[in-house]
Amino acid sequence: MEVPSDDAVLIEKGKKAGDPHVITVNCPDKTGLACDICHIILDFGLYITKGDVSTDGKWCYIVFWVVPHSRSIIRWTNLKNRLLSVCPSCSVSFYWNQQQSKSCPVYLLKFISLDRKGLLHDVTQVLCELELTIQRVKVTTTPDGRVLDLFFVTDNLELLHTKKRQDETCEQLHDVLGESCISCELRLAGPECECLQGMSSLSPVIADELFHCEISDKEIHSQALSPDMMKLKKTNVMVDNSLSPAHTLLQVHCVDHKGLLYDVMRTLKDCNIQISYGRFSPVINGQRDLDLFIQQKDGKKIVDPEKQSALCFRLKVGMLHPLRVIIANRGPDTELLVANPVELSGKGRPRVFYDITHALKALGICIFSAEIGRYSASDREWEIYRFLLEENCKFQLSNMVARNEIVDTVRRTLMGW
């Protein structure tokens, strides 16, 4: 049974300002579909206020109520096409489908400009608006005050091979950079992209701090730990097999944050867990309740206590620490590090680089260098964002209070608090 593309995804815009928009997806089911949809919604800068998911294992019906995170303009037609691209029975010629996503061509955007505060975020904002996904970054500042930026990007519209799309990208960057732009070049990436897959090594101390599973006593007493972070410690995940003969009920009660539903869906997808029915309740006093009737991939309930405990633990870790943020010394310099888990499919979390650079711009902190890479730890792959920071009159980076303020601001921006 096939669904016409126009019917598989419907978007009903809010009737007045402030009203949520309703996204409905009605198509054949696949494990991880809800995760893929949440990933796209997060990538477009939208926040899910509530939702319902139901499926019989072959066909699914998903409804999400969404609102923009910011005042940015949402390209609703592009959003619909991106959602259609992950529906099993649907394809849109100018969007990549699930099978093609791994081979999507990578382009190198290279530009040189004079340095200024907020430069990196302004460039990142342009790339996001153009729907270019940043895969890797290498940013360096030269002694004469120039910045060399290497952005390795993929195009969600799959049009970057055309001269029109390339010219549009360079023109918009020139508009933002103004006279500070010295040169701008865009071409298909070569072997240099592979060289940036990894990154410089992390010390054992830094790696342990980034990838530990619990909030440490050191963090609990740190000024960087905001009250919202303490609430994360109260996350509850419960499993109940008494209410359904065929399904396990998974109940989650936790503090809300940006991308929460994506974090939950990503964990379930990576564990090969199928959702038969799910309800995501609206936020009440900053708290969110999720009720999910789930099955294993073989269609059976989760009755093994060890499997139940392992699933609950992974969900708690995903909600306790969806994004890790620390500041450390790197030789004589001060480095901000942010880490987030990568899906088993290889997808990273959307808009992380955007949010980090936005927070640093708001603080007035200049970035001397930046890079994005992958790192394997704790039996999984992580995406690591590393920024060497420059001191200014407001933030003496050797001061612990200043460091805590930076960590807290970056974390709160990433979590949407």
Side-chain angles (χ1 to χ4, degrees):
M1 182 176 181
E2 295 290 331
V3 174
S5 294
D6 286 344
D7 293 337
V9 176
L10 299 175
I11 299 177
E12 181 183 350
K13 297 180 183 178
K15 295 181 179 179
K16 61 179 185 294
D19 283 357
H21 312 284
V22 183
I23 298 174
T24 304
V25 179
N26 182 20
C27 68
D29 195 19
K30 68 175 182 180
T31 301
L33 178 60
C35 173
D36 296 340
I37 291 172
C38 288
H39 185 281
I40 293 170
I41 289 173
L42 182 60
D43 196 17
F44 271 76
L46 293 167
Y47 167 76
I48 300 173
T49 60
K50 65 176 181 177
D52 284 290
V53 176
S54 61
T55 177
D56 60 2
K58 296 181 180 179
W59 203 266
C60 76
Y61 186 76
I62 299 173
V63 184
F64 286 133
W65 286 259
V66 302
V67 294
H69 270 295
S70 62
R71 296 180 179 178
S72 58
I73 298 174
I74 307 298
R75 293 178 171 86
W76 295 103
T77 300
N78 292 1
L79 171 60
K80 178 174 180 175
N81 288 329
R82 285 278 298 277
L83 292 171
L84 285 170
S85 73
V86 298
C87 294
S89 67
C90 306
S91 63
V92 180
S93 59
F94 49 89
Y95 273 86
W96 78 147
N97 60 35
Q98 186 186 26
Q99 287 72 34
Q100 294 173 325
S101 61
K102 294 182 180 179
S103 59
C104 191
V106 178
Y107 290 82
L108 169 59
L109 173 63
K110 175 182 177 181
F111 67 89
I112 301 173
S113 67
L114 300 177
D115 195 15
R116 63 171 172 79
K117 290 182 180 179
L119 171 68
L120 194 54
H121 177 69
D122 293 342
V123 172
T124 304
Q125 185 169 3
V126 170
L127 299 183
C128 286
E129 291 173 351
L130 288 168
E131 292 190 58
L132 298 176
T133 299
I134 301 170
Q135 302 293 344
R136 297 288 181 271
V137 166
K138 187 71 175 180
V139 177
T140 54
T141 303
T142 62
D144 61 355
R146 297 185 180 188
V147 177
L148 170 62
D149 287 7
L150 303 177
F151 283 85
F152 294 86
V153 300
T154 52
D155 185 9
N156 293 333
L157 301 180
E158 284 202 342
L159 294 173
L160 207 50
H161 62 282
T162 66
K163 186 177 185 301
K164 179 181 179 182
R165 178 74 162 152
Q166 292 182 10
D167 289 344
E168 177 191 18
T169 301
C170 291
E171 286 172 6
Q172 291 206 27
L173 284 170
H174 275 292
D175 290 343
V176 169
L177 298 175
E179 296 180 356
S180 65
C181 184
I182 298 172
S183 67
C184 181
E185 176 188 346
L186 181 59
R187 61 177 173 82
L188 196 63
E192 66 270 34
C193 182
E194 297 298 324
C195 297
L196 290 178
Q197 288 293 322
M199 58 169 25
S200 50
S201 61
L202 298 172
S203 71
V205 174
I206 297 300
D208 180 66
E209 189 173 356
L210 265 180
F211 304 124
H212 64 247
C213 296
E214 299 289 344
I215 295 179
S216 65
D217 290 337
K218 176 183 175 182
E219 286 180 291
I220 288 175
H221 294 99
S222 169
Q223 294 181 34
L225 196 62
S226 65
D228 289 314
M229 281 295 290
M230 289 303 300
K231 291 178 184 177
L232 289 178
K233 295 282 286 182
K234 301 178 181 178
T235 294
N236 291 318
V237 181
M238 297 179 60
V239 171
D240 190 340
N241 277 313
S242 65
L243 297 180
S244 170
H247 301 89
T248 295
L249 172 60
L250 183 69
Q251 294 181 302
V252 177
H253 176 79
C254 61
V255 65
D256 191 37
H257 67 257
K258 184 193 298 185
L260 169 65
L261 296 186
Y262 168 68
D263 290 324
V264 173
M265 296 300 120
R266 170 180 53 79
T267 301
L268 296 178
K269 178 183 179 181
D270 287 349
C271 293
N272 274 323
I273 298 297
Q274 298 175 329
I275 301 173
S276 297
Y277 175 76
R279 171 157 291 178
F280 318 117
S281 302
V283 175
I284 300 177
N285 297 325
Q287 303 288 320
R288 172 90 76 167
D289 287 308
L290 286 72
D291 297 295
L292 306 170
F293 286 89
I294 61 175
Q295 292 178 327
Q296 300 179 93
K297 194 172 184 179
D298 59 8
K300 297 180 180 179
K301 301 168 69 171
I302 306 174
V303 295
D304 185 340
E306 290 187 4
K307 289 184 177 180
Q308 292 179 5
S309 298
L311 178 60
C312 291
F313 176 77
R314 289 196 61 173
L315 284 167
K316 284 184 178 180
V317 170
M319 291 180 285
L320 179 70
H321 269 327
L323 295 140
R324 322 293 176 89
V325 185
I326 66 171
I327 278 187
N329 293 326
R330 186 175 178 181
D333 301 312
T334 301
E335 183 175 45
L336 173 72
L337 298 99
V338 177
N340 62 265
V342 175
E343 292 182 32
L344 291 182
S345 64
K347 289 183 184 177
R349 189 186 187 89
R351 299 177 73 90
V352 175
F353 195 78
Y354 176 93
D355 284 340
I356 298 170
T357 54
H358 175 69
L360 294 176
K361 179 181 179 180
L363 290 170
I365 296 176
C366 286
I367 300 167
F368 180 77
S369 70
E371 62 177 319
I372 304 175
R374 297 286 174 98
Y375 191 89
S376 295
S378 302
D379 299 323
R380 71 177 310 143
E381 191 175 31
W382 299 78
E383 202 155 44
I384 311 295
Y385 302 78
R386 305 180 72 167
F387 300 84
L388 288 183
L389 308 180
E390 294 184 359
E391 286 199 1
N392 59 33
C393 57
K394 180 180 179 182
F395 291 97
Q396 299 298 316
L397 298 178
S398 59
N399 183 282
M400 187 57 66
V401 174
R403 288 188 173 206
N404 287 342
E405 183 177 350
I406 294 170
V407 169
D408 188 49
T409 300
V410 170
R411 180 187 287 128
R412 292 179 67 84
T413 302
L414 289 164
M415 300 290 275
W417 291 337

